[in-house]
């Protein structure tokens, strides 16, 4: 909140603010979508501040939706903010977002927040949202698409563009000499405001003095023009010329961890990459800390010990450096310590199917990837003694599913021992009493089933051992949705579902009803969640002889104690659009007030 408040003077209340604010007030939630750089995060920040001014308590969700669920208080007016909630790349129905069941958790949580009279703000990019809706039925068939608010760069009118640039010059860090040089070159100003590539992100970048190393006041107007002519050059110049090789290694390492990592975890994967690529002049103590400081608030940011990219477009830019430069991807594969890093590189390659990265991964780089799998599988899923901590790597189920997916895609029949190793690790973790991630385990079973034509009979044996292990682990499950995953698997693959499998499933389901179901009902925070649980239970109970009468009173009691499900008001927008089509003279006249050193009128 401190950073948002600090930057708030630069914000301009465009028509998007008034329309999105009306939707937020009427519907209780807004999903802001649009292309990179259009101002989605800025709009969400403005709506957050506006809600705080109305008395709502702000809650930022930084890692996953369960962080917000843990801080939810139904009797307190709260405004939740989840920036770039789908991540930079949503690929398939088992992306990191869906692997954690966040699609279902998010749908239920949004409804719980709305039912409690609180608010929810989300942002994502347009193409990622569309991919997510196609990949996640839970999102597509929920009420989330009805909360959609789309921003477009062409919606920014001349006056709004001019005021965005004005506010950044007025409240920004540029020395007065640079401002004067720009204002006294009206053609450059007018060209920027009316430029085809105008976007709030480019304005933010080109008015930040920290990023203008070596740009004199005299050269600044040309620098601004060049930035709009080629926006990518802003990041390219910083990446190539203004940061050290250690810092570039840090950016690549951060991308390989999904764009967000604890400082300690980032250091662990940065060290071998730095060792491989560093120059003699950078072989010194403290190089990591220096790199982290040099990037802070320029390309990355650090909050409470967690490092993230400063904005999603920078992460996308670094992804371009990986997909377009084989040496970067090769070096990451050669030094990777976590399977999670390999999943990020693989996902990027599959998303950019015509990229040099994908050609490399499926060609000369295939042995490098397989060797990286063999090496990273030797590293623990959790650090010794870290049972209470977050996992160091992706879970054993996701590890095994990824290995299977890679072997099938690469046709690596000779490396089936890697899959046997990954599955063995998973079954060992389960036998130690660890609660399994059922959706990821089911995904592994689907991959094994689909991959049979490419492998020998040992593939069938692996399928059977995983299925037996999943059914055994199901006795420790505390979620009805886990049972629905298995029930769906049985329906899709009836030839792989034996009578004994059904018997074990039924026994596990009855145990869940007797022990875990009452607790899951108690955890419901709204009537919608109770109804959703009821629907899931209905699908999971098929063929089990489940007696509904025994649970009716529990479900009805939960509905009576929870907030009523309110009707969603029809969205009505009554916001006057700002004027468009400013003349060149009007644009130039607006900026002349910046020449006043004292008493300059405050921007509107």
């Amino acid at each position: 909140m401190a950073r948002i408040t600090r930057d708030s003077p630069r914000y301009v209340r465009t028509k998007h603010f008034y329309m999105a604010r009306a939707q937020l007030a009427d519907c209780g939630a807004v999903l802001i979508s649009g292309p990179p750089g259009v101002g989605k995060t800025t709009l969400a920040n403005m709506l957050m501040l506006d809600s705080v001014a109305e008395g709502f308590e702000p809650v930022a969700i930084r890692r996953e939706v369960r962080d917000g669920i843990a801080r939810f208080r139904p009797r307190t007016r709260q405004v939740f903010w989840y920036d770039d909630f789908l991540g930079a790349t949503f690929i398939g129905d088992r992306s990191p977002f869906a692997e954690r069941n966040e699609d279902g958790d998010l749908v239920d949580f949004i409804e719980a927040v709305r039912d409690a009279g609180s608010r929810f703000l989300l942002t994502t990019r347009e193409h990622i949202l569309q991919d997510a809706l196609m990949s996640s039925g839970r999102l597509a068939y929920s009420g989330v698409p009805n909360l959609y608010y789309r921003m477009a760069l062409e919606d920014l009118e001349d006056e709004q563009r001019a005021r965005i640039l004005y506010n950044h010059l007025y409240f920004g860090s540029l020395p007065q000499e640079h401002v004067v040089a720009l204002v006294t070159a009206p053609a450059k100003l007018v060209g920027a405001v009316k430029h085809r590539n105008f976007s709030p992100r480019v304005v933010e970048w080109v008015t930040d003095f920290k990023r203008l190393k070596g740009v004199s006041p005299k050269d600044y107007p040309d620098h601004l023009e060049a930035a709009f002519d080629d926006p990518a050059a802003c990041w390219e110049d910083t990446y190539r010329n203004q940061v050290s090789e250690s810092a570039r290694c840090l950016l690549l390492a951060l991308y390989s961890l999904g764009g967000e990592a604890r400082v300690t975890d980032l250091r662990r994967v940065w060290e071998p990459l730095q060792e491989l690529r560093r120059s003699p002049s950078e072989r010194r103590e403290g190089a990591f800390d220096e790199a982290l400081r040099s990037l802070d608030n320029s390309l990355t940011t650090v909050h409470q010990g967690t490092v993230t990219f400063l904005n999603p477009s920078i992460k996308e830019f670094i992804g371009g450096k990986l997909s377009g430069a084989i040496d970067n991807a090769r070096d990451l594969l050669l030094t990777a310590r976590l399977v999670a890093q390999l999943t990020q590189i693989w996902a990027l390659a599959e998303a950019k199917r015509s990229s040099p990265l994908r050609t490399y991964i499926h060609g000369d780089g295939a042995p490098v990837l397989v060797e990286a799998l063999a090496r990273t599988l030797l590293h623990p899923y959790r650090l010794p003694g870290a049972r209470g901590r977050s996992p160091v790597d992706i879970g054993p189920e996701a590890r095994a599913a990824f290995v299977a997916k890679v072997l099938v895609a690469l046709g690596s029949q000779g490396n089936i021992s890697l899959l046997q190793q990954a599955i063995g690790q998973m079954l060992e973790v389960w036998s130690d009493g660890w609660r399994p991630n059922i959706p990821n385990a089911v995904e592994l079973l689907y991959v094994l089933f689909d991959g049979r034509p490419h492998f020998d009979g040992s593939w069938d044996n692996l399928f059977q051992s995983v299925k037996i292990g999943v059914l055994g682990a199901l006795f420790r499950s505390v979620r009805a949705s886990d049972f629905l995953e298995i029930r769906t698997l049985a329906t899709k693959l009836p030839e792989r579902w034996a009578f004994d499998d059904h018997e074990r499933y039924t026994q596990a389901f009855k145990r869940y009803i007797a022990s875990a179901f009452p607790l899951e009902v108690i955890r419901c925070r709204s009537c919608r969640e109770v109804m959703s649980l009821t629907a899931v239970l209905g699908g999971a109970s098929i063929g089990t002889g489940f007696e509904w009468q025994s649970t009716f009173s529990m479900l009805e009691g939960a509905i009576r104690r929870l907030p009523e499900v309110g009707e969603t008001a029809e969205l009505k927008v009554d916001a006057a659009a700002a004027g468009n089509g400013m003349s060149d003279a009007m644009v130039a006249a607006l900026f002349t007030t910046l020449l006043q050193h004292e008493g300059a009128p405050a921007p509107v």
Side-chain angles (χ1 to χ4, degrees):
M1 277 300 296
R3 180 181 59 81
I4 296 174
T5 303
R6 182 196 66 209
D7 294 341
S8 62
R10 303 179 189 179
Y11 300 160
V12 175
R13 291 192 171 192
T14 66
K15 65 179 182 181
H16 288 302
F17 171 79
Y18 295 103
M19 296 174 73
R21 181 170 69 171
Q23 177 174 329
L24 185 62
D26 286 347
C27 301
V30 178
L31 195 169
I32 304 169
S33 178
V38 74
K40 300 180 294 294
T41 298
T42 296
L43 177 58
N45 289 345
M46 294 174 67
L47 294 171
M48 167 77 87
L49 289 174
D50 190 68
S51 294
V52 170
E54 293 182 40
F56 286 82
E57 175 188 282
V59 180
I61 301 175
R62 297 190 177 276
R63 297 185 64 88
E64 56 185 60
V65 69
R66 291 168 193 169
D67 295 340
I69 294 173
R71 299 171 66 184
F72 179 44
R73 293 183 290 171
R75 290 178 172 79
T76 300
R77 292 205 308 169
Q78 295 173 293
V79 52
F80 291 86
W81 176 63
Y82 200 173
D83 191 30
D84 197 30
F85 78 102
L86 289 173
T89 309
F90 187 105
I91 302 171
D93 61 355
R94 293 298 172 202
S95 70
F97 178 80
E99 280 179 358
R100 297 189 297 260
N101 294 323
E102 281 212 32
D103 46 359
D105 289 342
L106 179 64
V107 169
D108 293 340
F109 185 43
I110 289 175
E111 295 305 329
V113 168
R114 296 171 69 194
D115 291 343
S118 289
R119 295 176 176 178
F120 213 126
L121 297 164
L122 306 97
T123 69
T124 187
R125 274 161 284 178
E126 178 69 23
H127 68 282
I128 297 175
L129 175 62
Q130 297 308 319
D131 287 348
L133 294 177
M134 287 189 291
S135 301
S136 171
R138 190 71 192 277
L139 279 178
Y141 297 107
S142 69
V144 171
N146 297 328
L147 306 174
Y148 176 41
Y149 182 88
R150 182 179 184 276
M151 300 178 70
L153 288 169
E154 55 268 25
D155 292 338
L156 287 174
E157 299 160 344
D158 287 351
E159 182 177 350
Q160 296 163 359
R161 292 175 172 217
R163 293 189 181 281
I164 289 171
L165 179 56
Y166 185 106
N167 279 13
H168 279 77
L169 293 172
Y170 185 91
F171 290 107
S173 58
L174 278 180
Q176 184 69 10
E177 293 81 1
H178 287 70
V179 175
V180 170
L182 180 59
V183 175
T184 53
K188 302 292 186 181
L189 269 174
V190 172
V193 168
K194 299 194 174 188
H195 202 287
R196 67 185 184 281
N197 291 333
F198 183 94
S199 77
R201 179 152 296 152
V202 177
V203 171
E204 178 183 4
W205 189 274
V206 82
T207 57
D208 186 346
F209 187 59
K210 290 186 299 183
R211 300 187 175 103
L212 298 180
K213 294 179 180 179
V215 179
S216 66
K218 179 175 70 70
D219 295 333
Y220 181 64
D222 291 334
H223 178 80
L224 179 132
E225 182 180 52
F228 283 104
D229 286 342
D230 185 9
C234 297
W235 298 293
E236 181 66 38
D237 180 65
T238 300
Y239 178 82
R240 189 173 296 277
N241 301 317
Q242 297 185 24
V243 300
S244 65
E245 179 62 28
S246 295
R248 285 190 286 271
C249 288
L250 191 149
L251 293 169
L252 294 170
L254 181 59
Y255 186 95
S256 74
L257 293 175
E260 180 174 334
R262 291 181 298 240
V263 172
T264 52
D265 293 338
L266 181 58
R267 186 191 295 268
R268 289 179 65 235
V269 303
W270 170 86
E271 285 174 346
L273 181 62
Q274 156 77 351
E275 182 67 26
L276 178 68
R277 296 174 61 137
R278 69 182 178 175
S279 64
S281 64
E282 293 183 308
R283 294 175 183 174
R284 62 182 183 276
E285 292 293 328
F288 177 82
D289 294 330
E290 288 180 17
L292 195 60
R293 283 194 298 270
S294 71
L295 295 171
D296 192 31
N297 289 321
S298 174
L299 294 173
T300 64
T301 184
V302 183
H303 178 76
Q304 295 182 348
T306 297
V307 186
T308 60
F309 287 106
L310 192 61
N311 59 59
S313 288
I314 296 174
K315 180 180 179 182
E316 200 164 81
F317 171 78
I318 299 300
K321 287 298 174 185
L322 275 171
S323 62
I326 297 308
D327 59 330
N328 288 331
R330 182 199 62 234
D331 290 349
L332 274 174
L333 291 176
L334 288 172
T335 59
R337 287 187 168 181
L338 304 174
V339 179
Q341 294 176 266
L342 307 183
T343 66
Q344 291 293 325
I345 297 170
W346 178 269
L348 181 63
E350 295 304 295
K352 300 182 180 294
R353 302 186 71 82
S354 60
S355 67
L357 173 61
R358 190 175 192 277
T359 302
Y360 173 72
I361 289 292
H362 287 265
D364 294 342
V368 183
L369 173 59
V370 172
E371 189 279 330
L373 274 174
R375 185 180 64 254
T376 54
L377 284 174
L378 298 176
H379 289 273
Y381 160 51
R382 290 174 177 267
L383 288 175
R387 189 175 180 86
R389 283 186 51 188
S390 299
V392 173
D393 202 354
I394 57 175
E397 303 88 359
R399 277 180 162 195
F402 177 67
V403 173
K405 189 182 301 183
V406 169
L407 295 185
V408 169
L410 299 182
S412 300
Q413 293 93 333
N415 294 294
I416 197 170
S417 60
L418 285 179
L419 181 58
Q420 293 169 335
Q421 177 185 350
I423 289 176
Q425 291 175 347
M426 179 185 73
L427 296 177
E428 182 180 358
V429 169
W430 290 356
S431 67
D432 289 341
W434 194 262
R435 185 174 296 134
N437 184 313
I438 296 296
N440 283 355
V442 170
E443 175 66 8
L444 170 60
L445 287 170
Y446 283 128
V447 175
L448 290 173
F449 180 80
D450 293 338
R452 288 176 306 141
H454 306 284
F455 293 85
D456 56 26
S458 58
W459 207 255
D460 287 324
N461 295 334
L462 289 174
F463 182 97
Q464 188 66 16
S465 63
V466 172
K467 183 183 67 172
I468 292 173
V470 169
L471 288 171
L474 203 57
F475 281 84
R476 297 192 297 277
S477 176
V478 295
R479 296 168 63 101
S481 58
D482 286 348
F483 288 89
L484 185 59
E485 290 271 5
I486 302 296
R487 183 74 259 170
T488 303
L489 174 76
T491 302
K492 290 183 177 180
L493 307 179
E495 67 273 29
R496 294 285 169 166
W497 190 250
F499 176 79
D500 289 345
D501 299 331
H502 179 71
E503 287 296 300
R504 286 178 64 81
Y505 174 88
T506 300
Q507 293 170 10
F509 183 77
K510 289 180 178 179
R511 179 169 180 171
Y512 157 79
I513 290 296
S515 58
F517 172 68
L519 296 176
E520 193 163 12
V521 173
I522 292 173
R523 287 196 298 268
C524 289
R525 295 173 178 267
S526 72
C527 297
R528 288 184 190 273
E529 287 192 22
V530 175
M531 290 186 286
S532 176
L533 174 60
T534 304
V536 170
L537 203 62
S541 65
I542 294 174
T544 63
F546 173 58
E547 294 291 338
W548 278 90
Q549 289 81 357
S550 61
T551 64
F552 275 159
S553 59
M554 193 179 302
L555 293 168
E556 289 172 350
I559 290 176
R560 282 195 298 270
R561 70 175 171 82
L562 291 168
E564 292 291 332
V565 180
E567 293 294 326
T568 299
E570 180 183 359
L571 174 61
K572 297 179 180 179
V573 177
D574 183 20
N580 194 20
M582 292 178 72
S583 68
D584 294 358
M586 292 171 63
V587 172
L590 172 66
F591 286 88
T592 57
T593 59
L594 291 170
L595 297 177
Q596 304 174 33
H597 290 270
E598 295 181 357
V604 179

